[in-house]
Amino acid sequence: MRERSSPLSVDPARRRWLRGALAVAGLGMSGAIARVAAPTGFGDDPFSLGVASGDPSEDGFVIWSRLAPRPLQIGGGMDPIDRVVHWEVSDDHQFRRIVKNGTTLARTRRAHAVHVDVRGLAAGRVYHYRFHCAGAVSATGRAKTLPAALLPADRLRFVVASCQHYEHGWFAAHRHIAASDVDFVLHLGDYIYEGSYGERVRRFESTAALQNLDDYRARHACYKLDPDLQAAHAACAWLPIWDDHEVGNDYAGDLAMDGESLSQFALRRAAAYRAWLEHMPVRAALREDDTRIFRRLRFGALAELHLLDDRQYRAPQPCAPRDRGYAPMIDVSCVERDDAQRSLLGTAQEGWLLDGLGAGGARWNLLGQQTLIAPLVSHTDEREEVWSDAWDGYTATRQRLLDRIAEARIPNVVSFGGDVHAFYANDLKRNFDDTHSAAIASEFVTGSLTTDDVDHDAVLRDLPRNPHVRAFESRWRGWLDCDLGPERLDLRWQMLSDARDPLATTRTFRQFSVVHGQPGVQA
């Protein structure tokens, strides 16, 4: 058995902060993450990883927890037998009025994770949920159902987040998100990181490379032991998608970036996908051996959100050398970039997106995807380059999307992205080569929650030659706060004072709007 160190093995001052955070995180959120009964029947708390909800619908949502009294051990400290778990949903946080309840099995082969698809609730309502097992009671979570289909919805408040390298910082951002009273968190990937690099403020549970299912389960457990992350999950429903680091850096479809064999990478990718599904509150986890995570959610008549997967089905990055998986920066003259047969999303998913975008008649049409759609050309003394791992490496996919928006006159298209560890506010155009071309959609890319490795000054030097980029910032960690109404989207770049400080403060750095019927970013 591999020895794993505890991610909470920190100095005494950090331990005091963690104890305080556990207490503080339960305040002001209707008891979220506060225990209501002492566990019995287990040597340690079986609900040590907290609770979560996600994928809300107008009559319910998915609720999640995992039995893991010793979560960093193989098997989570559980005996290899299935256990019955009771769940209940109430319309008050004290559980005086139970509106739904039942039992489910925490199965050994699924790491004793439980996913319950709660149905039959009222639309547009806040509910509270919790789990019981053998006398142990979980934390309390909070989730809100979606507005009824096609009915007006006056307001939608949500957070967009991405890129949370555990070793690069503390999750103070999640403490602020938990207290922000939003309808949901849209998490665009790199929820976990599979490898170490850069400055290490704290350490993973293991220094070994992740290879198998037990390794990926332990990494997810390491993350979910964080009290601030638990608080953010308990505070509202999440809409997560994965990016690359949930498996391995910059992989493309069934190809690793570093020359790992196809057979070995296939096993590792399958293990990583399974561990992600076991630990995320998503409806896909209810479907046996189904790794499709692209999906749509409808927020009444106000908005429709299309969540994408740009990793699992993509073609290899263009113009890669034969001795390794890909070349991050490639010359703009690379012919493979424009090959119409190459897709970032895969043929089936791309068709699903193009056919469904705007078809539902929603007032706002939102995209949640992993990275940067707009071009970003870097200029050196010798050539012009683009990053092949983003949409710049798959220009035909980007053009088909933009052509569809323009030709069908799809209104109020706004894309949200992550991955690049920097904030961008971009105008999306059908023809980026024409500086006078009008915007047809808007794009906002969130900075990272903790991950830090962007050359700010180098990007800044390139911005005059990328005029569709309306704003950029990479010096601080943070997230997007979004407030959507019928007439406008108001968006704020929220910055942390220092992601390396567990008690970091936050401030609004920039504010932007998109006005109904007026594509493009307004500062």
Side-chain angles (χ1 to χ4, degrees):
M1 180 182 297
R2 178 179 298 171
E3 291 294 326
R4 294 188 172 97
S5 62
S6 169
L8 305 185
S9 298
V10 293
D11 62 69
R14 296 293 194 197
R15 292 193 191 98
R16 288 194 297 273
W17 168 79
L18 287 168
R19 288 195 294 269
L22 280 167
V24 171
L27 302 177
M29 297 193 319
S30 301
I33 95 162
R35 304 294 181 200
V36 296
T40 60
F42 293 93
D44 296 288
D45 180 7
F47 297 108
S48 62
L49 302 181
V51 298
S53 66
D55 279 4
S57 63
E58 63 180 87
D59 73 334
F61 36 73
V62 174
I63 58 175
W64 170 93
S65 192
R66 179 188 166 197
L67 301 180
R70 292 177 293 283
L72 297 180
Q73 291 184 7
I74 292 177
M78 293 289 293
D79 292 330
I81 58 174
D82 298 346
R83 299 296 296 263
V84 175
V85 176
H86 298 262
W87 59 270
E88 52 190 3
V89 175
S90 173
D91 60 7
D92 72 286
H93 72 272
Q94 294 180 328
F95 288 82
R96 291 184 294 247
R97 297 180 299 276
I98 306 298
V99 296
K100 293 287 179 180
N101 62 75
T103 61
T104 187
L105 274 182
R107 299 184 184 275
T108 300
R109 62 186 177 86
R110 304 300 287 182
H112 292 97
V114 292
H115 294 80
V116 179
D117 191 359
V118 181
R119 295 288 188 169
L121 303 177
R125 291 281 302 276
V126 171
Y127 291 92
H128 306 266
Y129 63 92
R130 64 187 179 188
F131 299 89
H132 304 255
C133 184
V137 183
S138 76
T140 296
R142 176 183 182 273
K144 186 177 182 180
T145 53
L146 301 185
L150 305 182
L151 292 182
D154 293 334
R155 187 183 186 212
L156 188 64
R157 291 199 63 229
F158 57 98
V159 158
V160 180
S162 178
C163 301
Q164 49 189 47
H165 199 303
Y166 185 91
E167 293 188 329
H168 287 191
W170 296 82
F171 291 161
H174 285 302
R175 172 167 49 85
H176 292 288
I177 290 169
S180 61
D181 189 27
V182 294
D183 295 313
F184 65 87
V185 170
L186 174 57
H187 199 288
L188 300 178
D190 292 347
Y191 183 97
I192 67 165
Y193 275 71
E194 86 295 353
S196 297
Y197 67 92
E199 181 182 5
R200 296 167 187 169
V201 175
R202 51 180 177 168
R203 299 306 300 267
F204 288 139
E205 81 292 343
S206 171
T207 58
L210 305 188
Q211 295 293 334
N212 56 44
L213 181 56
D214 288 326
D215 294 341
Y216 281 98
R217 283 171 171 170
R219 183 58 47 85
H220 277 278
C222 169
Y223 271 70
K224 278 198 160 60
L225 281 170
D226 185 279
D228 289 329
L229 182 55
Q230 285 192 23
H233 272 297
C236 65
W238 280 44
L239 307 176
I241 53 178
W242 57 45
D243 192 21
D244 55 334
H245 286 287
E246 284 86 353
V247 180
N249 185 41
D250 289 349
Y251 78 95
D254 57 2
L255 294 176
M257 66 167 284
D258 56 2
E260 184 177 0
S261 71
L262 287 173
S263 59
Q264 178 57 39
F265 183 68
L267 293 172
R268 187 158 67 89
R269 193 185 81 159
Y273 284 176
R274 179 166 173 175
W276 187 91
L277 289 166
E278 288 173 351
H279 289 84
M280 292 294 128
V282 292
R283 208 159 263 113
L286 300 162
R287 304 188 297 263
E288 194 70 23
D289 299 322
D290 186 350
T291 60
R292 170 178 161 162
I293 65 165
F294 62 89
R295 57 205 190 274
R296 291 189 182 96
L297 292 91
R298 182 64 181 261
F299 302 87
L302 181 62
E304 190 167 44
L305 172 62
H306 309 257
L307 296 174
L308 306 183
D309 176 357
D310 82 356
R311 285 291 162 190
Q312 184 172 187
Y313 314 106
R314 68 159 66 190
Q317 290 95 342
C319 296
R322 294 182 179 180
D323 60 342
R324 52 195 172 96
Y326 86 114
M329 300 301 295
I330 59 173
D331 196 283
V332 294
S333 63
C334 166
V335 176
E336 290 181 13
R337 295 175 61 219
D338 304 324
D339 184 350
Q341 302 303 312
R342 300 177 65 258
S343 176
L344 178 68
L345 304 175
T347 302
Q349 182 184 194
E350 188 176 326
W352 170 88
L353 174 62
L354 298 182
D355 290 343
L357 185 61
R363 191 169 183 85
W364 293 85
N365 294 280
L366 312 179
L367 299 177
Q369 52 84 43
Q370 286 77 2
T371 189
L372 186 68
I373 294 179
L376 187 66
V377 180
S378 299
H379 301 263
T380 69
D381 293 338
E382 300 176 354
R383 63 177 188 170
E384 294 183 331
E385 296 178 323
V386 293
W387 185 40
S388 68
D389 195 56
W391 290 67
D392 265 334
Y394 303 81
T395 58
T397 302
R398 177 169 63 201
Q399 196 60 53
R400 287 191 290 264
L401 172 60
L402 297 174
D403 287 345
R404 167 65 179 166
I405 294 170
E407 291 169 4
R409 298 184 179 180
I410 301 174
N412 302 328
V413 176
V414 181
S415 176
F416 299 101
D419 186 41
V420 293
H421 311 161
F423 292 86
Y424 288 88
N426 302 324
D427 289 340
L428 295 182
K429 303 180 177 185
R430 194 174 188 181
N431 183 1
F432 288 99
D433 294 329
D434 180 2
T435 58
H436 301 291
S437 178
I440 60 170
S442 311
E443 177 179 37
F444 296 98
V445 177
T446 182
S448 63
L449 291 173
T450 61
T451 317
D452 184 10
D453 65 352
V454 172
D455 188 337
H456 175 269
D457 292 342
V459 176
L460 209 60
R461 287 193 296 269
D462 290 324
L463 291 188
R465 299 185 184 181
N466 293 274
H468 49 274
V469 177
R470 304 292 301 282
F472 159 79
E473 181 56 61
S474 69
R475 291 170 293 182
W476 289 279
R477 309 301 104 221
W479 66 95
L480 305 181
D481 266 347
C482 304
D483 197 334
L484 180 65
E487 299 305 320
R488 61 190 291 140
L489 166 69
D490 292 316
L491 184 143
R492 295 167 294 281
W493 289 356
Q494 291 298 121
M495 305 297 197
L496 286 173
S497 57
D498 186 353
R500 297 165 297 181
D501 179 4
L503 298 178
T505 58
T506 182
R507 65 188 174 107
T508 298
F509 185 74
R510 294 285 300 274
Q511 299 185 66
F512 305 91
S513 296
V514 178
V515 177
H516 164 62
Q518 301 178 32
V521 174
Q522 297 187 20

